Amino acid sequence: MNITFANNKLEKIVNDDRKLLKEYGQIMTKKIKQRLMELANSETLQVVKIMPGNYHELTSNRKGQWACDLVQPYRLIFEPHEKPIPTDASGRYLWFEIKGVEIIEIVDYH
């Protein structure tokens, strides 16, 4: 899957092990890298849906975004590259048609 980042700051932190470690610590760094590797190695979003990590759609003011667990309570937040997001006749997102994501943030939104 193709992965991009919403802003240069986040991309620089995530792509530099020293900066990532300084910003998030050892355990969180390992989990962030694991989740990004899972996404990168998946052909579509459907593949990660069944993996550990609780990949899920968000609702309300975050509708159109997805999240996966990092170290509780933190989540990796991302959006599909596909615009509009593919849906079926009943409005459910078609995970198997999503082939790229943009990483928005790493956050505790609870």
Side-chain angles (χ1 to χ4, degrees), residues 51-92:
M51 290 182 171
N54 188 29
Y55 288 85
H56 58 282
E57 300 169 19
L58 299 177
T59 58
S60 196
N61 64 331
R62 287 191 176 267
K63 185 166 177 55
Q65 295 180 343
W66 273 252
C68 61
D69 294 348
L70 295 170
V71 176
Q72 293 295 336
Y74 290 92
R75 306 285 190 274
L76 180 70
I77 310 298
F78 53 93
E79 293 179 345
H81 286 162
E82 289 76 9
K83 302 289 184 217
I85 301 170
T87 58
D88 65 12
S90 62
R92 289 183 298 226

Side-chain angles (χ1 to χ4, degrees), residues 6-79:
N7 63 66
N8 288 335
K9 180 182 178 189
L10 180 59
E11 183 174 13
K12 286 179 183 177
I13 290 170
V14 168
N15 289 320
D16 183 324
D17 287 347
R18 265 188 22 186
K19 289 180 182 177
L20 192 58
L21 192 58
K22 182 178 179 182
E23 184 79 20
Y24 294 105
Q26 187 175 11
I27 296 170
M28 185 81 144
T29 292
K30 183 178 177 184
K31 194 57 75 171
I32 291 167
K33 291 176 82 169
Q34 176 186 353
R35 296 295 181 240
L36 290 173
M37 178 96 49
E38 290 168 355
L39 287 166
N41 290 333
S42 300
E43 188 175 326
T44 70
L45 201 54
Q46 182 68 31
V47 174
V48 297
K49 187 176 187 177
I50 59 171
M51 290 182 171
N54 188 29
Y55 288 85
H56 58 282
E57 300 169 19
L58 299 177
T59 58
S60 196
N61 64 331
R62 287 191 176 267
K63 185 166 177 55
Q65 295 180 343
W66 273 252
C68 61
D69 294 348
L70 295 170
V71 176
Q72 293 295 336
Y74 290 92
R75 306 285 190 274
L76 180 70
I77 310 298
F78 53 93
E79 293 179 345

